[in-house]
Structure formats: C-alpha cells, structure tokens
Amino acid sequence: TGFLKKGARGVRIEISKKENEVLLSDFSLWHSVLNYWQITDSEKEDEDFDRMLKLNNIKFVDKGKYTPELKQKVEESWDKIFDMNYSTEYAARPFDKKYIQATFWKLSIDEVRKVEVFTAR
C-alpha cells in the first residue's frame, strides 16, 4: 500500500546485484538532503544550530545565506544517511525499522530473478 491506488496493477521485480554495486541509504533521512536540512542527533544539537543561525542573522529558510561553516555542518551531517547503523531516538529509526532505498547505475537482464504482476490492495 502507499505506492499505487487500490485496484491498480503493478509490477514487482526481484533482482540480484553484487553488494559492491549497490548504495544503500536511509529513505527517511534522504529528505533532509533534499530539503537542505541538517541531520541532528538531539534536540540540543538542533537548538545549537538554530542559535548559530541567529548569531549570523540568518533565517532557517534562507539557505543561500548560510556561511561556509554552516553549509559544511549541514552537508557533513548527510553522511548519516549511508550509515545503516545510525539510529537515534531523535532522528533515525533502528535498522530493522528503517525504510532503506538501494540505488545502482545499471541493471542487466541477467540480474532479474523474478517479475510479478499484482493488484494493489
């Protein structure tokens, strides 16, 4: 559920890739990258970042005005999306509860193991 309307036909494809050809990332944390948000480990760290913004007379939404230091802090935090063991009560689920996305450059027909047509519930 959640990807197709009820009754819509869909296709699931099972594939097999070498581990070194796949990049895993935390789908929920990926939204921080998309929105240029810092991934913080705690409310305190979040508040500290807000204080840094205020000290520099920058509003949270004015990403283009971030100082190089602020940009670096935000961008370095994004490495956490690739750490499948990264888990904090504040920011990220434990591994067994994560929504994990996998990306790769190329899919060959010989890597397709199963194709299944289904109807969405």
Side-chain angles (χ1 to χ4, degrees):
T1 61
F3 297 104
L4 296 171
K5 292 180 182 177
K6 184 177 180 173
R9 290 187 61 190
V11 178
R12 278 188 286 264
I13 303 173
E14 181 180 316
I15 66 169
S16 177
K17 296 285 295 171
K18 294 178 186 168
E19 191 172 320
N20 67 348
E21 295 178 344
V22 178
L23 178 65
L24 300 179
S25 60
D26 183 319
F27 180 72
S28 297
L29 291 180
W30 174 242
H31 291 84
S32 294
V33 178
L34 292 175
N35 291 295
Y36 210 90
W37 297 334
Q38 181 186 21
I39 301 171
T40 56
D41 297 342
S42 66
E43 188 172 353
K44 181 190 179 315
E45 192 177 339
D46 216 4
E47 290 168 352
D48 290 346
F49 186 77
D50 286 341
R51 273 193 285 284
M52 287 176 65
L53 288 173
K54 285 180 186 174
L55 285 172
N56 288 282
N57 266 343
I58 301 171
K59 292 181 181 177
F60 176 77
V61 295
D62 293 332
K63 314 292 188 198
K65 295 180 181 178
Y66 280 21
T67 64
E69 178 188 17
L70 290 169
K71 287 181 182 179
Q72 181 177 2
K73 191 165 188 60
V74 170
E75 292 170 9
E76 285 178 354
S77 78
W78 297 342
D79 287 342
K80 296 171 185 173
I81 73 168
F82 303 113
D83 180 355
M84 295 298 102
N85 295 313
Y86 174 68
S87 172
T88 67
E89 189 174 318
Y90 187 72
R93 296 177 173 105
F95 181 79
D96 63 337
K97 303 257 193 279
K98 285 186 186 293
Y99 297 107
I100 299 171
Q101 61 185 357
T103 55
F104 47 87
W105 284 110
K106 178 178 148 187
L107 178 64
S108 302
I109 193 69
D110 60 309
E111 295 171 316
V112 175
R113 298 290 174 244
K114 181 179 175 183
V115 176
E116 180 181 7
V117 177
F118 68 95
T119 302
R121 296 183 276 164

